[in-house]
Amino acid sequence: MSFHEKSRWIALVANLLVWGWYFLAVLGAVRSGVPDTPYLLAMLIPVIIGLIFIHIVGHTVAAIMKPDEANSAMDEREAAIRNRASARAYELLSFGLVIVLGASLYYWNTFIAVNGVLFVFVLAESVRYIIEIAAYRRGLA
Amino acid sequence: MAKLPFTNDIRTLRFLAGEMTQAELGEKIGVTRQTIAAIEQGKYSPSLEAAFRIAHIFGKPLEEVFLWDTESGDAD
């Protein structure tokens, strides 16, 4: 497994663990009454710290395992994989944002709308990582 | 995954070139070992530039390294 593929696994695991925890907590908070903006900001601090921590530890370990690849630029296959995955993720992001904007106009308050946008971003990023990992595993023919 | 309409003889050519490793070939043309492995297995269609570079390394014309598959390819 190349360093860049490991990097995608690390990013995917970080997304699922940290944002998964965040959205479960937000869901619980919404069910017991809609929280306010300070609650949202307080929740985002551990999210940012968690993401940074997992990325630093994960990439450090990956770099130790393959030090010669750690600073290498993507080659043409890796760039093609990234481009294909980014295109699919962009389609999902666009579609998701339209849904969130529409729902926000008629049904959602600001707190839920902001979290809806966050969720779409996280979902699109996670799908991008999954498509990249699948392409690394199955090929890009 | 779609099957590529061509095959290649890179594995054989590496063997004939002093058992060159995938990593060595990759280093010579500026791609990773994994990309050479993907090309050999027909999981990745290399750019024209990379294909020419591979052929150049082995001192062969392009059509002796990459072979059009008349069964799966559409071209006449």
Side-chain angles (χ1 to χ4, degrees):
Chain A
M1 191 187 294
S2 71
F3 177 82
H4 291 294
E5 185 181 347
K6 284 195 187 80
S7 173
R8 292 301 170 261
W9 276 107
I10 293 162
L12 178 63
V13 169
N15 256 14
L16 295 179
L17 284 180
V18 177
W19 286 111
W21 169 80
Y22 171 83
F23 284 116
L24 283 176
V26 165
L27 199 62
V30 169
R31 280 181 178 160
S32 58
V34 177
D36 53 11
T37 304
Y39 173 85
L40 175 72
L41 294 176
M43 289 289 287
L44 285 176
I45 292 170
V47 164
I48 292 167
I49 292 171
L51 286 173
I52 291 172
F53 178 78
I54 294 174
H55 274 266
I56 288 176
V57 171
H59 283 95
T60 302
V61 172
I64 290 170
M65 291 168 70
K66 295 234 173 160
D68 52 325
E69 289 184 18
N71 290 319
S72 66
M74 285 184 175
D75 71 9
E76 62 173 52
R77 181 180 66 105
E78 292 166 330
I81 287 172
R82 181 200 57 197
N83 292 343
R84 176 182 287 191
S86 295
R88 298 289 176 273
Y90 177 75
E91 290 167 4
L92 177 62
L93 178 67
S94 304
F95 178 74
L97 287 181
V98 168
I99 298 294
V100 169
L101 286 173
S104 301
L105 282 174
Y106 294 101
Y107 305 112
W108 291 350
N109 60 31
T110 305
F111 180 83
I112 297 177
V114 167
N115 278 289
V117 170
L118 265 178
F119 179 77
V120 170
F121 271 111
V122 171
L123 181 66
E125 272 297 281
S126 299
V127 166
R128 180 166 78 91
Y129 298 141
I130 290 169
I131 293 173
E132 286 187 74
I133 290 167
Y136 275 115
R137 300 275 96 194
R138 297 176 55 199
L140 196 64
Chain B
M1 185 183 72
K3 186 175 181 292
L4 291 179
F6 56 85
T7 59
N8 67 77
D9 276 340
I10 296 174
R11 192 184 302 253
T12 305
L13 291 167
R14 281 196 299 108
F15 179 78
L16 295 175
E19 300 190 18
M20 180 190 295
T21 65
Q22 291 176 334
E24 287 168 346
L25 177 58
E27 193 174 333
K28 287 177 191 288
I29 69 163
V31 301
T32 61
R33 180 193 65 76
Q34 291 84 1
T35 294
I36 296 297
I39 294 170
E40 284 187 2
Q41 294 164 17
K43 290 182 174 180
Y44 173 63
S45 174
S47 68
L48 192 56
E49 180 183 340
F52 268 110
R53 285 184 186 279
I54 292 170
H56 181 73
I57 293 294
F58 296 122
K60 301 278 186 186
L62 197 61
E63 61 270 25
E64 284 188 29
V65 181
F66 295 94
L67 314 163
W68 188 259
D69 185 348
T70 51
E71 288 185 10
S72 63
D74 291 329
D76 294 327

